[in-house]
Amino acid sequence: MLTALFFGALLLFSPQKAPAQEKIEPEEISQEAFQKSSQETSQESAVPWHSLDIPGAEMDEVEPYRKRYLSPHEIKWLSGILDEAEGYRHYIRKRIQEEKLPSCLEYLPIIESSYKPTAKPPSGKSVGMWQFMENSVHPYMTLNEWIDERRDPWKSTDAALSKLKDNYRMFDDWLLAIAAYNCGAGAVKRALAKAHEKTYWGLCREKLIPDHAIKYVPNFLAVSDVIENKEYYKVELPDIQEIKDGFNPYCDFDYITVSGSVSLSELASELCIDEEILERLNLALRKKVTPPHQKYKIRLPCGMKQSAFYALNTIIRKKNADN
């Protein structure tokens, strides 16, 4: 029963769904528009910016991004992104709640990758839903010839939240922590040492951090505000479905530990399931094969651990017979 529920849930990750529209690039907004005061903001009623658990959405610098996201084209884009990413959002939200972090961090992957677990920009320097660069992987994840955990949406989520927590411990300010996620903690430290006003907005005004970091945080605050306060803005965006009875097919999995090389295609064949299911659950395996000289935990649909144990024994027997 649990396995059947998982297979149904897995359809949300299906590539057959219409692709989301092209990601909004912050660079499309001019510096002049970025700095322009928000004179056209409606004053008829108080905007519920206080509902965000990271402050700053009321700042003038956020307004150009908010206006962009509230346009019909971008609302359609956001709707597609949120709908396609529902499964991953369940896990991100669960881990944020467990770690007692600000809830709107759930929307940071929109800015980073549109929630795409194997996203890779043209530069090729960052990978995954949370866009880790190679020099920022350690000590949060494994990256080698066989494994790239930046591609694993569950492991990279844990890593990103750990990194954000570390940044917050360092700066005691969420805006600085998020800026440091974008441009590096070292860059923010150096900027603070030079700044007269030792806040994120102060660093922006004095242009002490890179331009992409100056635009990154307002972009994030704008998208968080639009999604969290969609009723106020009178826009329709999808909510994630409520999970009942304790079992969440997007978050609850089984695992089996293997020693040496095991092909996901072999295991899927023995389990009589679609190979794509195992591949999507184990995106960290760069060659779709477990590493040859170490133990590795293969992620499985919940309820399949025992079947995978028998399947693995069958694979081992076949290999031994061939040798």
Side-chain angles (χ1 to χ4, degrees), residues 22-50:
E22 185 178 356
K23 179 182 176 182
I24 304 168
E25 294 296 340
E27 287 71 20
E28 293 178 8
I29 299 177
S30 67
Q31 193 67 21
E32 180 182 356
F34 178 82
Q35 295 175 337
K36 185 179 179 181
S37 295
S38 173
Q39 298 176 347
E40 299 176 15
T41 304
S42 172
Q43 301 297 324
E44 295 177 0
S45 60
V47 180
W49 287 318
H50 63 272

Side-chain angles (χ1 to χ4, degrees), residues 256-262 290-296 312 316 319:
I256 186 169
T257 301
V258 301
S259 298
S261 294
V262 174
T290 57
H293 304 300
Q294 69 179 75
K295 292 184 177 180
Y296 188 85
L312 183 60
I316 292 172
K319 287 183 177 180

Side-chain angles (χ1 to χ4, degrees), residues 56 65 92 105 113 118 140 149 164 186 197 234 246 256 282-283:
Y65 297 95
I92 294 169
L105 291 177
S113 66
T118 58
Y140 304 104
E149 291 183 343
L164 286 161
E197 180 188 343
K234 296 180 173 58
I256 186 169
N282 297 278
L283 289 169

Side-chain angles (χ1 to χ4, degrees), residues 64-273:
Y65 297 95
R66 182 166 30 242
K67 287 181 178 178
R68 176 66 62 85
Y69 282 121
L70 285 169
S71 71
H73 181 273
E74 266 63 57
I75 287 296
K76 183 178 180 181
W77 175 82
L78 270 179
S79 183
I81 291 293
L82 294 172
D83 185 47
E84 290 182 17
E86 178 172 346
Y88 300 135
R89 291 175 64 203
H90 272 282
Y91 184 76
I92 294 169
R93 185 173 294 186
K94 174 176 177 285
R95 293 294 293 120
I96 284 173
Q97 291 171 350
E98 290 172 347
E99 297 292 336
K100 297 180 173 56
L101 299 175
S103 61
C104 53
L105 291 177
E106 174 186 333
Y107 309 117
L108 203 57
I110 295 177
I111 309 304
E112 290 289 346
S113 66
S114 302
Y115 286 110
K116 298 187 184 304
T118 58
K120 190 173 183 179
S123 67
K125 294 181 179 180
S126 56
V127 171
M129 183 181 294
W130 293 89
Q131 290 292 283
F132 276 83
M133 299 180 71
E134 287 190 17
N135 62 6
S136 62
V137 168
H138 182 77
Y140 304 104
M141 290 178 288
T142 298
L143 175 61
N144 57 41
E145 176 187 0
W146 297 90
I147 302 167
D148 186 351
E149 291 183 343
R150 296 177 298 173
R151 294 163 46 91
D152 185 305
W154 301 278
K155 291 182 178 179
S156 65
T157 292
D158 292 346
L161 297 183
S162 293
K163 186 174 181 65
L164 286 161
K165 282 179 66 176
D166 288 346
N167 289 350
Y168 182 73
R169 290 189 192 101
M170 190 180 302
F171 299 111
D172 195 30
D173 182 289
W174 275 112
L175 298 185
L176 291 174
I178 294 167
Y181 187 87
N182 177 256
C183 68
V188 172
K189 275 185 176 180
R190 291 189 293 272
L192 287 171
K194 300 175 184 177
H196 295 93
E197 180 188 343
K198 303 198 183 286
T199 66
Y200 168 76
W201 303 111
L203 300 187
C204 293
R205 293 182 189 107
E206 295 183 54
K207 300 187 184 303
L208 293 173
I209 53 177
D211 190 55
H212 56 83
I214 291 175
K215 296 176 179 179
Y216 183 79
V217 173
N219 195 15
F220 162 71
L221 289 172
V223 78
S224 299
D225 178 35
V226 168
I227 296 171
E228 286 291 298
N229 297 311
K230 59 186 179 182
E231 290 85 5
Y232 173 84
Y233 292 116
K234 296 180 173 58
V235 295
E236 292 188 10
L237 293 169
D239 292 314
I240 62 174
Q241 296 179 4
E242 182 181 357
I243 299 296
K244 299 179 180 180
D245 303 324
F247 170 69
N248 189 328
Y250 305 110
C251 304
D252 300 324
F253 306 103
D254 275 337
Y255 296 85
I256 186 169
T257 301
V258 301
S259 298
S261 294
V262 174
S263 164
L264 294 180
S265 62
E266 285 181 301
L267 184 57
S269 178
E270 291 295 333
L271 288 170
C272 299
I273 63 173

